[in-house]
Amino acid sequence: MQREEQVVNCNVLEMEDGLADDEQDEEAVGMLEESPSGIEMTTNPPGDDEASKSDDDSSTNMDSSTPLRVRTIHISSPILAAKSPFFYKLFSNGMKESEQRHVTIRINASEEAALMDLLNFMYSNTLSTTTLTAVLDVLMAADKFEVASCMRYCSRVLRNLRMTCESALLYLDLPSSVLMADAVLPLTDAAKQFLAARFKDITKFQEEVLNLPLAGIEAVLSSDDLQIASEDAVYDFALKWARIHYPKLEERREVLSSRLCRLIRFPCMTCRKLKKVLTCNDFDPELATKLVLEALFYKAEAPYRQRSIAADAGNALCHRYMERAYKYRPVKVLEFEAPRQQCVIYLDLKKEECASLFPAGRVYSQAFHLGGQGFFLSAHCNMDQQSAFHCFGLFLGMQEKGAVSFAVDYEFAVRTKPNEQYMSKYKGNYTFTGGKAVGYRNLLGVGWSAFLADDSAYFINGLLHLRAELTISQ
């Protein structure tokens, strides 16, 4: 460490056809070798990518018949030791005699250029290469030789390059040791965000998303902004992807259990779909039962307890209790069989969601069922019947299933200030046929501006609380 200059010999093994025999492959695993002339840096044969750092007292007896290309480099051991724990240990533990002045490291022939760039970086704190593949090679060399400053530099350079689907997937497919490094996290986060934004509308890019590798589908399904009909659709999509990429049941169960199930937000799924999870053969039965019970217990909690559970879970559970940007808004449903078949539906809309409906938008609820028939609610911004002003409307529709006729008594209600109780707005009776809907263009009897005003009587803590009661007519 006191000498200003050390000698680094980079020996690159050159094998015929790029392959080594079994004995040579065994030798290639060693990294350090003690030499009478000093401590030397060596490299692995072409095709041997399994070399790893050895302990300080490990040694390699290189076959004398193996042709070597030796490159000698003069380096400053204090500079390298200061930048890298690997080199610090190499210089401090490897030099057992004061007259030793050489270090030998064995690397793959394909790593030579990256190692030279890495050594230059340790002197200059910059890289001359700027191409994606070359910088990636230097990044992996920096990880191998524990040069954290170079890993941060490479990560920053790659983030500044134009991101594409191909490059994002390349970053997410780096070796696990690189992916786990703190210096690389900003790069992998940027890659995940790019893929999530690129395939935000998952139904629009369905075929492309189905062809993504595991790291890509994980990035897409982890997004809070995923535009999809409902969490039920997320579950169906994850299952479809797994069946395409893992046709063998054992492998499919493993990837669903260990990787994908944590990205599916089961508490946001409907009870009807949760029942199907219990009978799905793609999931381990014990795991499926656990996931469904957790979701049902969460749904049964009071709203303040749900908020507490979600806050306690934090990011550890991948936002499993957080609703995404669903195209069909979640509803809470109470079902009664006696004395009459009836259901009560609760739909909450945020004030910003309502504001975004102007001037002619609409938002749909998830489907709910009564007497075996599927129904939905839809909230509209539309003109009143005299076309004098915009107003808030609410409609009840039946999902189209042929020409079935279905008579229903219904009532719409909304919470209002100051008592914050539900106030009935309209009630009636309607005989549905497939695809028909009934409702009121001006549910609240006020104009759009009054509806969204700061002193509006209809928003409580930023939420509009709607209720619909449906009863099968006798």
Side-chain angles (χ1 to χ4, degrees):
M1 294 292 295
Q2 295 175 350
R3 295 180 173 84
E4 281 300 316
E5 188 176 82
Q6 301 293 329
V7 178
V8 180
N9 289 341
C10 295
N11 301 331
V12 183
L13 295 165
E14 294 180 343
M15 317 293 292
E16 287 189 4
D17 300 325
L19 299 174
D21 58 30
D22 293 339
E23 183 179 352
Q24 290 161 341
D25 281 342
E26 285 288 326
E27 294 172 351
V29 177
M31 284 292 293
L32 304 182
E33 167 181 8
E34 189 173 339
S35 167
S37 61
I39 308 171
E40 301 177 345
M41 294 184 65
T42 342
T43 50
N44 290 320
D48 184 359
D49 296 326
E50 300 298 324
S52 60
K53 305 181 187 82
S54 74
D55 295 328
D56 294 333
D57 56 353
S58 64
S59 62
T60 301
N61 296 318
M62 296 174 60
D63 190 340
S64 59
S65 63
T66 302
L68 294 175
R69 180 165 56 82
V70 180
R71 185 171 183 178
T72 301
I73 308 167
H74 294 274
I75 55 91
S76 171
S77 58
I79 291 178
L80 269 62
K83 294 287 183 71
S84 161
F86 174 89
F87 286 110
Y88 176 83
K89 288 182 287 187
L90 189 64
F91 293 133
S92 60
N93 299 335
M95 296 173 58
K96 294 183 173 61
E97 298 179 11
S98 59
E99 55 273 5
Q100 288 182 324
R101 299 187 60 186
H102 293 78
V103 173
T104 301
I105 293 180
R106 175 173 288 177
I107 61 172
N108 296 316
S110 59
E111 297 177 294
E112 182 181 3
L115 177 57
M116 294 304 301
D117 285 333
L118 176 63
L119 292 174
N120 286 326
F121 175 86
M122 296 170 78
Y123 276 88
S124 63
N125 288 321
T126 188
L127 288 177
S128 58
T129 183
T130 57
T131 63
L132 185 148
T133 54
V135 176
L136 275 178
D137 289 342
V138 177
L139 174 63
M140 288 187 281
D143 172 67
K144 183 174 183 177
F145 295 107
E146 305 175 39
V147 188
S149 58
C150 187
M151 293 184 72
R152 286 191 295 271
Y153 184 93
C154 291
S155 176
R156 188 164 57 250
V157 169
L158 293 171
R159 291 201 311 275
N160 290 334
L161 296 178
R162 177 177 171 272
M163 188 82 74
T164 65
C165 290
E166 292 74 18
S167 63
L169 293 172
L170 198 59
Y171 301 151
L172 295 178
D173 194 40
L174 290 169
S176 58
S177 62
V178 180
L179 291 175
M180 293 173 63
D182 290 339
V184 183
L185 285 178
L187 175 63
T188 54
D189 286 345
K192 292 175 183 177
Q193 291 169 10
F194 174 84
L195 292 173
R198 173 70 175 81
F199 301 112
K200 183 177 179 179
D201 190 344
I202 195 170
T203 53
K204 182 179 179 181
F205 300 99
Q206 182 169 334
E207 291 304 318
E208 291 180 65
V209 178
L210 285 174
N211 288 325
L212 289 175
L214 179 57
I217 195 69
E218 285 182 313
V220 173
L221 296 186
S222 63
S223 172
D224 293 336
D225 298 323
L226 191 64
Q227 292 182 354
I228 196 164
S230 65
E231 198 65 29
D232 291 2
V234 175
Y235 167 83
D236 290 335
F237 196 93
L239 209 57
K240 185 176 182 179
W241 181 92
R243 287 169 177 169
I244 292 173
H245 291 264
Y246 296 89
K248 293 183 179 179
L249 178 60
E250 296 80 6
E251 295 178 354
R252 186 162 66 250
R253 277 191 174 184
E254 172 60 26
V255 77
L256 283 168
S257 300
S258 61
R259 304 289 289 271
L260 294 186
C261 76
R262 60 188 178 86
L263 303 177
I264 302 170
R265 303 178 184 185
F266 291 92
C268 298
M269 290 170 58
T270 64
C271 292
R272 291 173 68 89
K273 182 63 74 172
L274 288 173
K275 291 178 184 178
K276 294 184 178 181
V277 175
L278 290 174
T279 58
C280 179
N281 192 45
D282 299 85
F283 282 89
D284 175 76
E286 185 175 343
L287 175 63
T289 301
K290 176 178 179 293
L291 293 170
V292 171
L293 285 177
E294 283 181 353
L296 292 176
F297 281 137
Y298 176 80
K299 288 177 177 291
E301 293 285 3
Y304 79 93
R305 281 288 302 142
Q306 291 181 343
R307 290 191 293 270
S308 176
I309 292 171
D312 291 342
N315 292 324
L317 297 177
C318 301
H319 297 183
R320 96 167 34 168
Y321 299 105
M322 182 183 294
E323 294 178 0
R324 307 180 200 256
Y326 301 123
K327 294 179 180 178
Y328 301 141
R329 301 299 301 143
V331 292
K332 295 180 181 179
V333 182
L334 295 177
E335 298 182 38
F336 302 91
E337 292 294 329
R340 298 170 65 186
Q341 279 192 297
Q342 182 185 38
C343 66
V344 183
I345 304 94
Y346 296 90
L347 171 64
D348 295 343
L349 297 176
K350 297 177 182 177
K351 190 171 185 178
E352 53 267 28
E353 287 180 307
C354 295
S356 67
L357 297 178
F358 185 86
R362 61 184 62 186
V363 61
Y364 295 93
S365 78
Q366 291 180 352
F368 50 89
H369 293 78
L370 176 66
Q373 293 298 317
F375 292 87
F376 62 90
L377 293 173
S378 60
H380 297 221
C381 174
N382 40 229
M383 301 294 289
D384 75 328
Q385 289 183 338
Q386 286 74 38
S387 299
F389 53 83
H390 288 88
C391 52
F392 178 84
L394 184 64
F395 293 82
L396 169 67
M398 187 174 80
Q399 291 179 319
E400 190 168 357
K401 288 188 176 180
V404 176
S405 179
F406 205 80
V408 173
D409 296 325
Y410 66 91
E411 179 181 0
F412 293 157
V414 60
R415 280 192 193 273
T416 60
K417 296 176 183 177
N419 59 15
E420 299 183 352
Q421 298 295 318
Y422 279 101
M423 178 183 292
S424 178
K425 288 296 182 180
Y426 290 99
K427 62 174 60 177
N429 177 276
Y430 189 75
T431 300
F432 287 91
T433 55
K436 298 295 184 179
V438 64
Y440 298 91
R441 296 175 67 85
N442 190 355
L443 177 72
L444 307 176
V446 298
W448 192 259
S449 298
F451 166 58
L452 285 177
D454 292 340
D455 60 350
S456 172
Y458 302 106
F459 289 97
I460 301 171
N461 297 324
L463 287 178
L464 174 68
H465 301 273
L466 301 169
R467 185 185 70 191
E469 294 185 25
L470 278 67
T471 307
I472 296 181
S473 299
Q474 292 183 332

